[in-house]
Amino acid sequence: MLLRLASERATGALLRDRGTLYLVEGQVVHAESPVAPGIDVMLSATGRLRPDGWTQAIREAGADGAVGRYLVDSGLVSGGELEICHLGALFDAAFFALAPSSGPTRFRYGAAHWIGPVRPVAAEAVERETLRRRALLDRLWAHPETDTAPVVPSPRSARPRTAAPRQRAVLDLADGVRTPADIARALGRPAFHTLIDVRRLAAAGLVETPRPAAAAAPTPPSDVARLMAMSADPDVALLRRLRDALEATL
Amino acid sequence: MCWGGFRVPGIDECLLHAMRLPGVRGAALVDWTSGLALGTVGDAAGDDHETAAAETAELARMVAEHPTFAPLGTAGGPETDHGKNPPVEDLVVTTRTCYHVLRFVETSFDSSVLLHLWLDRTDGNLALARLRMRDLTERLVLE
């Protein structure tokens, strides 16, 4: 549907159940998803933009659909920063909005977003990048449950020595309550980047999804088969998991 | 970026300035966590800009995340920084015919972006390129 809208140079909003893509003359100009932190969250989380600066920008330029331009013209962010942050938010939200789903897809012709023009992207590039990102996640750790479930640090992990600084920030917030999307919002980072960090941490055996309380009826053979199929080059973390799965059968 | 005929310096301007350096074949601004090329100009090293960006990101991540190159608790990389600004400034790959210079971009918000410059080894000037890239990446987030 996105590529068809691009070919007819459509302008409006493509609404899906996990997000919205905004098009101007067939190019993607913005995207939003409930899962992905918005550009306002990313610019505010580290204090780059104070909340009142953001409120003022919306008030002054929101109705004209030129908030991006206002932020730069008033010196609140530089042109380069706005483009970097906006592209990050666009591809991040598009990844979730374009995820396979059985929900309805609608297009509202003429709808525009208040951020206004920043740096439009070809629809083909957005679609291609979304597929590449999905493949990248599966290559890192082929267990999508870590994308949506809260994670906790693995009790056996020696975290200070093994987690890189950016991943440690994620690890510090992994409390078994926050989902990766919550962690992304707290850090002001794209949600996809947090999915990558969480899958890398899971692959390294540093985090795990909390075992459900009803884990009394495990199905180890399929777990074992899945673990075996996962990698032709088993590492220590994998062997530990394998051992745990086998012990659970005894 | 162009608003009402008025150009605002941004990613493209940064890359076009980089292309003026002697011996440059191509330049790209890359997000090194996702492997996305935020902007590209000139020729791509390897097959295409997208593949080059993904591979560049992988190399940068190895350097940015390993304590040998990016120790914790040192100047420029305090523990509270959470890796917002990697202590590594740039890295240089020398092949028989080319240089690749990867310069990490420091932004005031949380990001993981680098500038990748692909230079001809005969015509390029590595020292000049490194100095200019520092200047360009600073201007990218200040102007």
Side-chain angles (χ1 to χ4, degrees):
Chain A
M1 175 131 178
L2 175 62
L3 297 183
R4 183 173 64 74
L5 290 164
S7 68
E8 64 183 58
R9 298 173 61 82
T11 295
L14 178 67
L15 296 100
R16 305 199 69 211
D17 55 355
R18 292 190 72 195
T20 304
L21 261 65
Y22 292 87
L23 276 68
V24 171
E25 294 185 0
Q27 287 193 301
V28 181
V29 292
H30 194 61
E32 282 181 333
S33 166
V35 186
I39 185 171
D40 53 331
V41 175
M42 291 206 262
L43 285 175
S44 311
T46 51
R48 176 66 185 89
L49 193 64
R50 295 211 320 273
D52 55 345
W54 185 258
T55 313
Q56 185 185 349
I58 298 283
R59 196 173 55 232
E60 297 285 336
D64 301 334
V67 170
R69 179 176 183 172
Y70 179 88
L71 289 172
V72 174
D73 285 351
S74 56
L76 290 168
V77 297
S78 75
E81 280 184 310
L82 178 68
E83 286 189 335
I84 292 170
C85 197
H86 179 259
L87 281 175
L90 188 158
F91 279 98
D92 192 36
F95 173 76
F96 298 101
L98 295 176
S101 101
S102 53
T105 299
R106 289 176 294 132
F107 191 71
R108 193 177 294 156
Y109 281 92
H113 193 273
W114 44 256
I115 191 80
V118 178
R119 192 182 166 90
V121 186
E124 298 81 19
V126 173
E127 185 128 311
R128 209 164 48 238
E129 175 66 7
T130 299
L131 294 174
R132 189 189 70 82
R133 288 184 174 206
R134 211 166 295 141
L136 172 61
L137 284 180
D138 283 344
R139 224 167 37 241
L140 295 175
W141 178 250
H143 299 283
E145 59 271 22
T146 54
D147 293 354
T148 46
V151 286
V152 285
S154 167
R156 289 182 300 277
S157 65
R159 45 192 271 199
R161 286 199 298 161
T162 41
R166 288 184 64 82
Q167 291 181 350
R168 209 167 49 157
V170 173
L171 203 49
D172 287 347
L173 293 174
D175 57 0
V177 178
R178 293 188 183 94
T179 63
D182 297 333
I183 294 173
R185 195 163 289 111
L187 293 172
R189 288 182 190 172
F192 175 77
H193 291 44
T194 310
L195 297 191
I196 285 193
D197 279 333
V198 169
R199 288 219 197 188
R200 283 206 167 105
L201 288 166
L206 293 177
V207 297
E208 50 194 39
T209 49
R211 284 159 197 253
T219 52
S222 67
D223 279 350
V224 173
R226 194 181 58 186
L227 286 164
M228 295 292 284
M230 207 172 58
S231 169
D233 178 26
D235 58 12
V236 175
L238 175 65
L239 290 170
R240 280 201 187 118
R241 284 178 156 59
L242 194 56
R243 183 195 62 194
D244 291 353
L246 287 169
E247 281 176 353
T249 65
L250 298 176
Chain B
M1 253 181 303
C2 189
W3 287 318
F6 176 66
R7 277 206 81 76
V8 175
I11 295 171
D12 287 341
E13 287 69 22
C14 172
L15 294 176
L16 290 171
H17 278 298
M19 286 302 283
R20 290 189 194 146
L21 278 159
V24 175
R25 296 182 177 186
L29 197 72
V30 175
D31 179 318
W32 57 266
T33 303
S34 65
L36 168 71
L38 299 171
T40 60
V41 64
D43 295 330
D47 293 339
D48 56 75
H49 279 296
E50 287 178 20
T51 309
E55 293 177 359
T56 305
E58 195 60 21
L59 172 63
R61 194 182 64 80
M62 295 304 280
V63 174
E65 292 190 346
H66 280 68
T68 301
F69 308 110
L72 297 171
T74 56
E79 298 222 15
T80 50
D81 200 15
H82 282 323
K84 196 181 107 195
N85 295 314
V88 180
E89 289 186 355
D90 65 13
L91 61 130
V92 179
V93 176
T94 308
T95 71
R96 291 191 187 279
T97 56
C98 309
Y99 295 118
H100 295 266
V101 189
L102 279 55
R103 169 128 199 140
F104 291 92
V105 181
E106 291 190 15
T107 56
S108 55
F109 57 95
D110 193 304
S111 70
S112 52
V113 176
L114 63 83
L115 175 62
H116 174 202
L117 210 59
W118 183 36
L119 293 159
D120 187 271
R121 201 167 154 180
T122 315
D123 301 329
N125 180 330
L126 184 60
L128 178 67
R130 289 185 63 227
L131 282 172
R132 193 82 184 103
M133 287 172 79
R134 184 180 68 187
D135 179 45
L136 284 172
T137 52
E138 282 172 4
R139 279 171 51 191
L140 175 65
V141 296
L142 287 178
E143 284 186 353

